[in-house]
Amino acid sequence: MFFAVNVACQKETGKVAESDVKFEKSKKKKVKLPEIDLSHWKVTLPVENEKGTPYEIDPPEILDFASDEMAKPFMYIDSTDGSIVFHAYPTSVTTTNTKYSRSELREQMVPGENNINWKFADGGVMKGKLAMEAISKDKNGKYHKTIIMQIHGRLTNEQRDKIGASDNNAPPILKIYWQNGQIRVKTKELKPASLTGDALLHEESWADDEGFTFKQEVGFRKFTLEVKVSDGKMVVILNNNEFKVYENIDMKKWGIFENYFKAGNYFQSRDEGSFAKVKFYELTVNH
């Protein structure tokens, strides 16, 4: 049975800060506010907090992100169309196990809590309407790429302790890229496929597949992405008319992990002067 985690266009929560609205009203401009409920998301930004780690905003504080001075360069509202813009470029501030910077949302089924997540058997749907606003090019004249949606795996505390891992991190079973104006999908495969039991919990047991690129070109236009998961199955849908279905032994065995959705701008370049700005107009999650 599905229950709503994030519901678009709520009346009282999940909108922009009241102070931001008052500011815009003071300038006598009409601003369309983003129809995204952030009450079950935290955000990680490529700027350093007082501990020297990436700055994060948990709910309920994230509901007031538009008034957060630390967040403003990296997560802000485009007053012309009401989208939330996620801006990322290479900084010295990255999360563990990566060299890349991100302005990215992380699903929290219970606001402020990372330890409660879901398995494929529980089912889940993430849907967004988004667009690439701007992105830099490399020295060969090709656009850089960025990850705009993910499903990330997570070890439970019991699994972590059983295999002697230093943290709860598990591989991402899904990474969706904006790449050269198209949408590219990467998932994980067991190496070898015969692995079972606790061997599945080790990150080195999973390798990237060859990837899949949707035929449609989205360029810098608005598009929709939908990700549906169920026991042993994952489906990615572009613009409600092009599908990629994963239903195999890898998906079945992935059921051992807990997971959480991610969305935003996980920028995949360290080139000097590179950047990306990704707009989200809608974002919902249901379980």
Side-chain angles (χ1 to χ4, degrees), residues 206-233:
W206 298 87
D208 285 341
D209 73 342
E210 63 181 13
F212 169 82
T213 302
F214 284 99
K215 293 180 180 179
Q216 304 174 58
E217 288 193 17
V218 299
F220 294 85
R221 301 182 301 275
K222 289 182 185 178
F223 60 94
T224 62
L225 275 172
E226 187 170 6
V227 180
K228 297 181 178 181
V229 295
S230 54
D231 193 7
K233 185 176 182 179

Side-chain angles (χ1 to χ4, degrees), residues 191-260:
K191 301 292 184 179
S194 59
L195 290 176
T196 59
D198 291 347
L200 302 177
L201 299 173
H202 293 273
E203 189 167 359
E204 58 268 24
S205 297
W206 298 87
D208 285 341
D209 73 342
E210 63 181 13
F212 169 82
T213 302
F214 284 99
K215 293 180 180 179
Q216 304 174 58
E217 288 193 17
V218 299
F220 294 85
R221 301 182 301 275
K222 289 182 185 178
F223 60 94
T224 62
L225 275 172
E226 187 170 6
V227 180
K228 297 181 178 181
V229 295
S230 54
D231 193 7
K233 185 176 182 179
M234 180 171 68
V235 182
V236 183
I237 307 167
L238 175 62
N239 284 330
N240 299 313
N241 58 24
E242 192 174 350
F243 300 75
K244 176 60 177 175
V245 179
Y246 299 89
E247 190 171 15
N248 51 40
I249 190 63
D250 299 305
M251 291 296 108
K252 193 68 176 177
K253 290 185 176 181
W254 187 263
I256 195 172
F257 289 107
E258 291 188 342
N259 306 273
Y260 51 89

Side-chain angles (χ1 to χ4, degrees), residues 11 21 47 71-72 78 96 117 126 128-129 132 167 187 203 227 240 243-244 250 253 273 275-276 282 284:
K11 297 296 184 181
V21 177
V47 62
K72 283 181 178 179
D78 185 329
T96 306
N117 301 284
M126 174 169 61
K129 178 183 288 186
M132 178 63 67
D167 56 34
T187 186
E203 189 167 359
V227 180
N240 299 313
F243 300 75
K244 176 60 177 175
D250 299 305
K253 290 185 176 181
F275 73 96
E282 299 173 10
T284 58

Side-chain angles (χ1 to χ4, degrees):
M1 182 177 180
F2 287 82
F3 63 90
V5 174
N6 296 359
V7 181
C9 197
Q10 287 195 352
K11 297 296 184 181
E12 301 296 335
T13 63
K15 297 275 187 167
V16 297
E18 183 71 16
S19 59
D20 188 74
V21 177
K22 289 178 180 177
F23 173 70
E24 294 295 344
K25 285 181 177 179
S26 70
K27 297 192 297 180
K28 297 182 179 180
K29 289 185 178 180
K30 292 184 178 180
V31 180
K32 181 181 179 182
L33 302 180
E35 298 182 350
I36 297 176
D37 175 14
L38 295 172
S39 62
H40 285 78
W41 298 93
K42 78 170 183 179
V43 69
T44 301
L45 301 171
V47 62
E48 193 173 88
N49 63 19
E50 67 277 2
K51 298 179 181 178
T53 58
Y55 186 67
E56 296 187 335
I57 313 175
D58 287 279
E61 289 78 14
I62 194 173
L63 303 180
D64 199 32
F65 77 89
S67 296
D68 190 311
E69 293 298 326
M70 294 279 280
K72 283 181 178 179
F74 306 104
M75 180 182 179
Y76 56 89
I77 301 161
D78 185 329
S79 61
T80 63
D81 60 15
S83 63
I84 297 179
V85 182
F86 294 90
H87 179 203
Y89 54 84
T91 71
S92 61
V93 186
T94 63
T95 53
T96 306
N97 303 318
T98 183
K99 63 181 180 180
Y100 297 122
S101 300
R102 70 182 81 205
S103 298
E104 189 179 37
L105 297 169
R106 192 265 202 218
E107 177 193 13
Q108 292 185 325
M109 297 184 75
V110 174
E113 175 60 69
N114 289 333
N115 288 310
I116 300 174
N117 301 284
W118 49 267
K119 292 187 173 184
F120 269 41
D122 299 318
V125 179
M126 174 169 61
K127 187 171 185 179
K129 178 183 288 186
L130 57 158
M132 178 63 67
E133 178 183 14
I135 191 166
S136 54
K137 293 182 178 180
D138 63 21
K139 61 183 180 181
N140 297 315
K142 290 187 176 181
Y143 288 113
H144 289 107
K145 63 182 179 180
T146 191
I147 296 174
I148 52 180
M149 284 186 175
Q150 295 192 73
I151 297 177
H152 213 292
R154 192 178 192 278
L155 298 171
T156 64
N157 292 341
E158 182 181 4
Q159 290 171 335
R160 177 199 64 199
D161 296 342
K162 182 180 287 188
I163 65 172
S166 59
D167 56 34
N168 296 84
N169 189 62
I173 189 62
L174 175 67
K175 295 185 288 187
I176 304 179
Y177 295 81
W178 186 99
Q179 185 171 342
N180 294 321
Q182 292 181 284
I183 302 303
R184 182 162 173 79
V185 182
K186 297 279 286 184
T187 186
K188 295 291 184 181
E189 297 175 329
L190 274 171
K191 301 292 184 179
S194 59
L195 290 176
T196 59
D198 291 347
L200 302 177
L201 299 173
H202 293 273
E203 189 167 359
E204 58 268 24
S205 297
W206 298 87
D208 285 341
D209 73 342
E210 63 181 13
F212 169 82
T213 302
F214 284 99
K215 293 180 180 179
Q216 304 174 58
E217 288 193 17
V218 299
F220 294 85
R221 301 182 301 275
K222 289 182 185 178
F223 60 94
T224 62
L225 275 172
E226 187 170 6
V227 180
K228 297 181 178 181
V229 295
S230 54
D231 193 7
K233 185 176 182 179
M234 180 171 68
V235 182
V236 183
I237 307 167
L238 175 62
N239 284 330
N240 299 313
N241 58 24
E242 192 174 350
F243 300 75
K244 176 60 177 175
V245 179
Y246 299 89
E247 190 171 15
N248 51 40
I249 190 63
D250 299 305
M251 291 296 108
K252 193 68 176 177
K253 290 185 176 181
W254 187 263
I256 195 172
F257 289 107
E258 291 188 342
N259 306 273
Y260 51 89
F261 287 118
K262 303 193 81 177
N265 181 4
Y266 179 19
F267 188 52
Q268 303 289 291
S269 175
R270 295 293 305 176
D271 291 353
E272 184 177 355
S274 61
F275 73 96
K277 294 182 179 181
V278 180
K279 291 185 170 187
F280 274 74
Y281 299 88
E282 299 173 10
L283 181 64
T284 58
V285 168
N286 290 281
H287 290 286

